[in-house]
Amino acid sequence: MTLAETVLGAAFAGLIAYALFGGADFGGGIWDLLAGGTEGGHAVRDRIERSIGPVWEANHVWLIFVLVVLWTGFSRGFAASVTTLYIPLTLAAFGIIARGAAFAYRKSVEALGMRRFFGAAFALSSLLTPFFLGTVVGGVASGRVPPSIGPGDVVRSWVNPTSLLGGALAVLVCAYLAAVFLCGDARRDGEHDLAGAFRRRALAAAVVTGAVGLIGIAVLRADAPLLFEGLTGRGLPVVLVSVAAGLTAFGLLLTRRYVAARIASALAVIAILVGWAVAQYPYLLLPSLTIEQAAAGRATLLALLIALSAGAVILIPALVYLYTLFQKASIEPKSPNRARPSSRQNGHG
């Protein structure tokens, strides 16, 4: 493995972490949106808020990490991508900001109208942000980002069949991951009815995601032939691992083995992302910019790798401790007032 591939591998590991943790975070907002009315959706929204509240800021650190590594170590490919795909990236950035602000302020206001406004902003941005990020992935994976600044089509690069497929799958995967994670959280806290409700949501999301994925095979074959060739060629073993892990997770959900279902679901997501990377290797931007061509000079890459290694020594143990602490018990106990819904306690619906 070359120095450039090692640094890019670190960025890709961050992308996987963001897909899992940030994805589940976005998915919580999607289920918040679909929770129902003020009274009926209170328990679901309360569960989501308690689950993502302690970690939602940490979940999005990974996106900053990925952007910084790409910007520093692969500035040519980074510049070409952000100048071609600046519309969906800007919309996603607004979505992340709106989502975070709404989530924070919803807990701080008393007026029902404002709580509903912030709740709606949180839920809608949770739906739209992963969609726009998925369109960006689709634009890159389908080879619609040229390897330089200027010639890219700023509309068709993300409004195309592969990007729309990527956006739809991103939303569905986020919803699925969140439902699987919330099953375990609810059962851990003795909320068995909610665990069952999220189990049904996870199973439904899995079925829809699988159906869209099957449709996506035809879409990729027609719209992104290079990616399709890679996924059905050298990337096929990894794709099959993703399919097997997804089916295993489905079976584990049916038998209510939520912890094991989390692991299998995470493996399915990781495998499909690795399959994408394998499919377009050695290109950073299909079909002409390789990883080595996009990489910065050796001194920059070496300094970046040293900084990443030093940062990992501090950051990774802290994140592991945070997630472990969070999973041992509810950090924010369910208060008696939360047990009974009231019109003043709900964000929207």
Side-chain angles (χ1 to χ4, degrees), residues 85-97 125 128-129 132 158:
L85 296 164
Y86 72 88
I87 295 177
L89 286 171
T90 302
L91 293 172
F94 279 128
I96 292 172
I97 294 169
S125 55
L128 295 176
T129 303
F132 290 126
W158 66 284

Side-chain angles (χ1 to χ4, degrees), residues 149-176:
I149 299 174
D153 190 322
V154 299
V155 176
R156 292 181 181 178
S157 59
W158 66 284
V159 182
N160 60 74
T162 302
S163 288
L164 296 178
L165 173 67
L169 283 176
V171 171
L172 289 169
V173 169
C174 289
Y176 169 72

Side-chain angles (χ1 to χ4, degrees), residues 52-300:
I52 70 175
V55 295
W56 71 274
E57 291 169 303
N59 289 337
H60 295 279
V61 167
W62 295 109
L63 178 61
I64 299 170
F65 170 81
V66 172
L67 294 177
V68 169
V69 174
L70 291 178
W71 183 1
T72 307
F74 302 89
S75 53
R76 181 180 173 188
F78 181 84
S81 299
V82 297
T83 52
T84 301
L85 296 164
Y86 72 88
I87 295 177
L89 286 171
T90 302
L91 293 172
F94 279 128
I96 292 172
I97 294 169
R99 182 176 183 276
F103 185 73
Y105 285 123
R106 183 170 66 169
K107 295 182 291 187
S108 304
V109 296
E110 294 294 332
L112 178 60
M114 290 303 295
R115 289 185 63 81
R116 283 178 168 169
F117 170 76
F118 286 125
F122 166 70
L124 283 174
S125 55
S126 297
L127 176 70
L128 295 176
T129 303
F131 174 80
F132 290 126
L133 292 176
T135 64
V136 169
V137 172
V140 173
S142 61
R144 287 183 165 89
V145 178
S148 58
I149 299 174
D153 190 322
V154 299
V155 176
R156 292 181 181 178
S157 59
W158 66 284
V159 182
N160 60 74
T162 302
S163 288
L164 296 178
L165 173 67
L169 283 176
V171 171
L172 289 169
V173 169
C174 289
Y176 169 72
L177 284 175
V180 174
F181 286 12
L182 287 165
C183 287
D185 286 358
R187 186 166 70 177
R188 181 197 62 215
D189 291 344
E191 299 166 335
H192 298 291
D193 290 345
L194 279 177
F198 284 118
R199 171 178 167 270
R200 291 189 292 274
R201 286 168 167 82
L203 291 171
V207 171
V208 176
T209 303
V212 173
L214 290 175
I215 296 171
I217 294 174
V219 173
L220 294 182
R221 184 176 184 179
D223 188 63
L226 289 177
L227 178 63
F228 178 81
E229 182 180 337
L231 289 173
T232 55
R234 60 173 176 269
L236 184 60
V238 188
V239 173
L240 292 178
V241 169
S242 177
V243 173
L247 292 174
T248 301
F250 193 86
L252 292 168
L253 283 171
L254 287 174
T255 55
R256 293 178 170 79
R257 298 175 183 176
Y258 298 140
V259 175
R262 285 184 177 185
I263 297 172
S265 300
L267 178 60
V269 174
I270 292 171
I272 198 63
L273 289 173
V274 172
W276 165 40
V278 172
Q280 78 169 54
Y281 180 85
Y283 295 101
L284 184 68
L285 295 176
L286 286 171
S288 57
L289 185 64
T290 66
I291 297 170
E292 299 299 329
Q293 290 171 337
R298 178 175 176 80
T300 301

